[in-house]
Amino acid sequence: MIKVYSEIGPLKKVILKRPGNELLNLVPEMLEELLFDEIPFLEDAQAEHDAFANIFRKNGCEVYYLEDLAGEAIKDEQVKYEFIDEFISEAHVVDEREVKYLKDMLNEFEGKELIERTMSGIRREEMPKYEPVTLYDFLKKDDFFITKPMPNLYFTRDPFALMGSGVSLNKMWSDIRNRETIYGKYIFKYHDEFKNSPFYYDRNNSFSIEGGDELVLSKDCLAIGISQRTSPKALETFAKNALTIGEFKKVLALAIPKKRAFMHLDTVFTMIDVDKFTVHPEIEGPLEVFEIVKDGDNIKVTHVAKSLEKLLSDELERDVKLIRCAGANPIDSRREQWSDGSNTLAIKPGEVVVYDRNNVTNEILDKEGIKLHVMKSGELSRGRGGPRCMSMPVIREDI
């Protein structure tokens, strides 16, 4: 079911998550905790996302929705109960009355409706009123939620990543986002179309790695970012598993500056054609690269002293061109980087989806002969993620 051996092969199947009521449960006091800078307007965010999905459909790509797949994965009654118990546990609900209320309430729903109910956040005001008795009661009475919303879910790239024929089911950097990986767990454990896929990483591992840092450079080579949200320890575990499974021969580890503007590798670097990449110019100086290959039962790590352009040219065995965000203008590149000017999604070689707001970068890409599918981004961009962040390819044709 999974076939992803490049970043640019013609895209045939993709997983998206349509923004839902979780955005209605964003409040200013929780923005920092939930990793948002602003509150998107749901109606417009959904319209923008629907237009995004239609770009895929119009170009021969089948769209799956995360909420549908997860709902199908828990259709068995026992699996449903298992899911509810695990969801409550990972939401850190400890009060007996709240646990009982959640179990009774969630058991009334099935499939997709149950999944969306857990994603949206469950308000404390929904619970029956009772007089506070315990210390917990008195201290929790002013909290908004029993379980908090998951507004980052429309960035389907991060909780799990599909590469080769396998899955990296990720351990997220933030505990508040780690709950998102539960949906991937049930899809890849129980869904008829996805179960039995090999795993490169598992959500129960100790160190964080996120899908925005995981790129398929070629059928033999993966490029993984060491970023604010992906640790070297996680990358080594991932690399050992990926190389042992044997679909890939090499992992390139690219260490980028650890700050929010450069959150993941794909926010500063994406492949758009067989010989072209977008890149944010500020990573080129501090970028460090390490080559990881299998060495018997272990892995061998070697520092690579090459420029990014030379590294990519050697790996792909062709001259490559780096197209710098906003032409490397120090003001324009910073502004457009903030709205993911370097985060493009290729639907086939030389044909990419981009945000409309990054007009300087888009004009440069157009002049380089790249075909652009320009999407509205007034609300979706408030979450600090671009077209690649919002999509998880399932099947790409070979190139």
Side-chain angles (χ1 to χ4, degrees):
M1 184 58 197
I2 300 169
K3 181 186 174 186
V4 183
Y5 291 93
S6 77
E7 290 290 317
I8 60 172
L11 189 54
K12 306 309 293 182
K13 295 186 179 184
V14 67
I15 298 174
L16 307 180
K17 163 65 177 80
R18 190 173 190 259
N21 289 340
E22 59 274 6
L23 294 187
L24 297 179
N25 282 329
L26 271 175
V27 293
E29 294 86 346
M30 294 171 59
L31 287 178
E32 183 176 0
E33 179 187 8
L34 295 173
L35 308 178
F36 264 69
D37 297 311
E38 303 174 70
I39 300 175
F41 174 41
L42 177 60
E43 186 176 328
D44 283 1
Q46 288 178 329
E48 290 172 2
H49 197 273
D50 290 344
F52 178 52
N54 283 332
I55 292 174
F56 296 111
R57 296 188 182 103
K58 290 176 181 177
N59 287 275
C61 177
E62 183 178 356
V63 174
Y64 293 97
Y65 285 101
L66 179 70
E67 54 270 40
D68 291 331
L69 294 176
E72 292 160 5
I74 61 167
K75 59 187 177 183
D76 179 84
E77 189 173 16
Q78 286 304 120
V79 175
K80 172 187 169 181
Y81 295 152
E82 178 187 342
F83 170 79
I84 291 173
D85 285 345
E86 189 165 5
F87 166 76
I88 292 172
S89 173
E90 297 207 1
H92 306 306
V93 181
V94 295
D95 181 76
E96 291 181 3
R97 282 169 299 186
E98 292 176 358
V99 170
K100 183 180 186 307
Y101 168 75
L102 288 176
K103 285 188 176 182
D104 291 344
M105 185 267 286
L106 293 173
N107 273 322
E108 295 177 2
F109 299 103
E110 301 290 339
K112 178 182 177 181
E113 192 175 10
L114 169 57
I115 294 297
E116 291 183 324
R117 198 69 189 83
T118 63
M119 293 174 168
S120 66
I122 299 170
R123 298 185 181 191
R124 190 167 298 280
E125 65 188 30
E126 299 177 46
M127 275 193 73
K129 296 293 185 292
Y130 56 86
E131 288 297 319
V133 177
T134 68
L135 183 61
Y136 178 88
D137 294 341
F138 282 104
L139 294 177
K140 282 290 184 180
K141 63 183 174 62
D142 294 325
D143 284 1
F144 295 124
F145 298 99
I146 307 172
T147 69
K148 293 175 182 177
M150 304 187 201
N152 295 280
L153 271 169
Y154 72 85
F155 300 120
T156 52
R157 180 71 61 163
D158 295 332
F160 57 84
L162 310 183
M163 293 160 282
S165 65
V167 182
S168 178
L169 182 59
N170 294 328
K171 162 80 170 178
M172 305 293 278
W173 172 72
S174 164
D175 181 66
I176 202 71
R177 286 203 72 186
N178 204 46
R179 303 171 300 154
E180 299 172 27
T181 66
I182 191 174
Y183 304 107
K185 172 182 175 178
Y186 279 79
I187 290 169
F188 298 112
K189 186 175 181 181
Y190 293 113
H191 196 286
D192 290 341
E193 293 187 43
F194 291 94
K195 61 186 180 183
N196 301 321
S197 302
F199 274 61
Y200 302 124
Y201 204 78
D202 189 83
R203 67 195 297 268
N204 295 320
N205 287 327
S206 300
F207 302 99
S208 66
I209 186 170
E210 297 191 358
D213 284 315
E214 298 173 307
L215 283 71
V216 184
L217 197 57
S218 72
K219 63 181 178 62
D220 294 323
C221 180
L222 298 170
I224 311 297
I226 304 170
S227 68
Q228 181 193 54
R229 301 191 178 181
T230 293
S231 76
K233 285 288 189 181
L235 198 156
E236 287 187 335
T237 299
F238 167 91
K240 186 173 182 179
N241 291 338
L243 296 173
T244 298
I245 288 171
E247 291 194 300
F248 297 96
K249 299 175 182 176
K250 181 188 302 182
V251 174
L252 293 177
L254 282 68
I256 63 175
K258 295 173 177 59
K259 56 183 181 178
R260 181 158 171 74
F262 301 163
M263 188 187 310
H264 293 126
L265 181 61
D266 72 359
T267 63
V268 291
F269 173 76
T270 50
M271 189 172 186
I272 58 177
D273 204 346
V274 294
D275 58 353
K276 294 184 179 70
F277 295 80
T278 62
V279 64
H280 185 58
E282 285 190 34
I283 71 157
E284 292 183 79
L287 184 70
E288 279 193 288
V289 182
F290 302 87
E291 179 184 279
I292 305 174
V293 296
K294 200 161 186 309
D295 184 20
D297 293 332
N298 298 304
I299 57 173
K300 180 181 179 182
V301 181
T302 306
H303 184 263
V304 179
K306 294 180 182 179
S307 68
L308 181 59
E309 192 168 357
K310 174 64 172 171
L311 174 79
L312 296 170
S313 295
D314 289 349
E315 188 60 42
L316 298 177
E317 298 180 338
R318 56 166 57 93
D319 291 336
V320 304
K321 184 166 189 176
L322 302 182
I323 302 174
R324 292 167 178 83
C325 182
N329 180 281
I331 296 174
D332 294 337
S333 64
R334 283 175 169 82
R335 184 187 73 253
E336 295 201 353
Q337 167 61 22
W338 187 244
S339 296
D340 292 280
S342 299
N343 185 273
T344 63
L345 176 75
I347 59 173
K348 60 182 65 171
E351 191 167 331
V352 300
V353 184
V354 295
Y355 276 167
D356 59 348
R357 65 197 306 117
N358 298 314
N359 55 296
V360 178
T361 303
N362 291 346
E363 184 177 344
I364 293 170
L365 292 173
D366 181 65
K367 288 179 179 178
E368 290 289 343
I370 303 300
K371 182 176 179 180
L372 304 181
H373 297 273
V374 181
M375 63 174 288
K376 291 287 184 184
S377 59
E379 298 303 317
L380 293 174
S381 64
R382 295 179 188 273
R384 304 272 78 83
R388 188 180 190 273
C389 301
M390 294 190 298
S391 57
M392 189 62 254
V394 178
I395 293 179
R396 285 188 182 273
E397 293 181 352
D398 295 334
I399 53 172

